[in-house]
């Protein structure tokens, strides 16, 4: 069973529009961590945010914001006023304490295309 | 700046010819990982080192080996590359007991002819 689901495969938006990427996870652990990574065309996975299971506080960093809701097992990511540089694949990932936090279960990724 | 470095960024090899990919880190992290990422797929964990302890994923082919001679360096050896091994190979590091975040290098894109 897939532990991290990112349903939208490719999302196209016009520059300056907002885009929200959905991430739904599944775990039986009470202690776990959720991550978002950005992968631009160059290939490097760039860390964006980490959230532990005990911290449901939402976060804003510039044009990026994250909404973590344990009740729905979701950790959604919004890019406000998108720019062409936001074009990339975005991965949501889960690490669980039962594996010593040594495994990142990735979703399939969201390909975001920002059209100028 | 502290970072994860992978060399080379692009590697071309021939079918069956052994190849070694390199990863180094200046973060002094005790855990290092190797992932394989094929086109339009998520990264797949091959193995990781926790200090000197090697941990292989159950479905990692025997064709893939790894060495970690010291804290800073980790190598991925592909003994007999097949066409199906063409992929992006990503190295990552983590400080166990810290934020538990894995930090990735830029990757090596392997082409097998």
């Amino acid at each position: 069973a897939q532990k991290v689901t990112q349903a939208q495969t490719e999302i196209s938006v016009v520059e300056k529009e907002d885009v929200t990427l959905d991430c739904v996870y599944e775990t039986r652990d009470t202690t776990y961590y959720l991550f978002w990574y950005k992968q631009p065309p160059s290939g490097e996975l760039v860390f964006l945010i980490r959230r532990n299971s005990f911290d449901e506080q939402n976060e804003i960093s510039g044009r990026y914001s994250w909404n973590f809701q344990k009740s729905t097992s979701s950790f959604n990511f919004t890019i406000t006023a998108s720019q062409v540089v936001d074009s990339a694949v975005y991965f949501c990932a889960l690490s669980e304490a039962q594996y010593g936090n040594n495994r990142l279960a990735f979703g399939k990724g969201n390909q975001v295309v920002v059209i100028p | 700046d502290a970072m994860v470095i992978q060399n080379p960024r692009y590697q071309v090899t021939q079918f069956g010819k052994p190849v070694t990919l390199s990863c180094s880190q200046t973060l002094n992290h005790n855990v290092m990982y190797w992932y394989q990422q094929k086109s339009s797929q998520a990264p797949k964990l091959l193995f990781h080192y926790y200090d000197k302890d090697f941990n292989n994923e159950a479905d990692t082919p025997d064709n893939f080996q790894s060495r970690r001679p010291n804290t800073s360096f980790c190598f991925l050896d592909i003994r007999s590359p097949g066409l199906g091994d063409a992929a992006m190979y990503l190295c990552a590091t983590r400080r166990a007991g810290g934020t538990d975040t894995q930090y990735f290098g830029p990757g090596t894109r392997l082409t097998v002819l």
Side-chain angles (χ1 to χ4, degrees):
Chain A
Q2 194 168 356
K3 291 195 172 188
V4 178
T5 302
Q6 296 178 254
Q8 312 127 300
T9 307
E10 181 168 329
I11 305 165
S12 294
V13 295
V14 176
E15 200 171 19
K16 298 184 183 177
E17 288 183 342
D18 299 347
V19 55
T20 294
L21 309 181
D22 297 330
C23 174
V24 176
Y25 63 93
E26 180 183 334
T27 180
R28 293 185 178 182
D29 267 3
T30 55
T31 302
Y32 54 89
Y33 301 89
L34 294 162
F35 303 84
W36 276 96
Y37 287 88
K38 173 183 179 179
Q39 189 172 42
S42 60
E44 180 175 2
L45 273 168
V46 178
F47 165 71
L48 295 179
I49 190 171
R50 165 191 177 270
R51 192 45 101 227
N52 74 53
S53 51
F54 301 108
D55 181 6
E56 284 193 76
Q57 189 172 10
N58 293 328
E59 182 158 337
I60 298 174
S61 176
R63 296 183 297 105
Y64 295 172
S65 61
W66 291 270
N67 184 300
F68 176 28
Q69 292 194 343
K70 286 179 74 171
S71 60
T72 56
S73 296
S74 65
F75 187 41
N76 297 337
F77 172 31
T78 297
I79 304 172
T80 302
S82 60
Q83 300 176 1
V84 173
V85 293
D86 297 326
S87 296
V89 180
Y90 292 86
F91 289 99
C92 180
L94 165 73
S95 78
E96 298 164 286
Q98 66 172 311
Y99 299 116
N101 298 314
N102 275 319
R103 289 192 190 144
L104 274 178
F106 285 93
K108 292 186 176 181
N110 300 123
Q111 171 82 59
V112 173
V113 177
V114 181
I115 303 165
Chain B
D1 288 341
M3 57 177 55
V4 183
I5 302 163
Q6 289 188 246
N7 287 306
R9 294 292 308 277
Y10 299 90
Q11 176 74 57
V12 180
T13 190
Q14 292 180 331
F15 184 95
K17 184 175 181 181
V19 65
T20 295
L21 309 182
S22 168
C23 177
S24 64
Q25 53 129 340
T26 60
L27 297 161
N28 203 32
H29 286 174
N30 53 342
V31 191
M32 293 186 77
Y33 304 82
W34 279 104
Y35 288 85
Q36 179 193 64
Q37 186 181 23
K38 295 188 176 180
S39 182
S40 301
Q41 295 184 19
K44 178 181 179 297
L45 181 63
L46 294 173
F47 27 58
H48 75 274
Y49 275 94
Y50 193 121
D51 292 322
K52 292 185 178 181
D53 292 334
F54 178 70
N55 298 272
N56 201 26
E57 292 298 296
D59 57 354
T60 297
D62 293 339
N63 199 26
F64 291 88
Q65 305 285 318
S66 185
R67 296 170 283 134
R68 189 179 185 187
N70 54 52
T71 300
S72 301
F73 285 86
C74 195
F75 300 98
L76 170 62
D77 300 310
I78 309 177
R79 293 192 296 186
S80 181
L83 297 179
D85 296 328
M88 173 74 91
Y89 290 87
L90 294 160
C91 174
T93 73
R94 177 177 74 90
R95 182 169 66 88
T99 65
D100 291 307
T101 299
Q102 291 189 25
Y103 294 94
F104 286 80
T108 295
R109 191 170 296 279
L110 178 68
T111 300
V112 182
L113 301 178

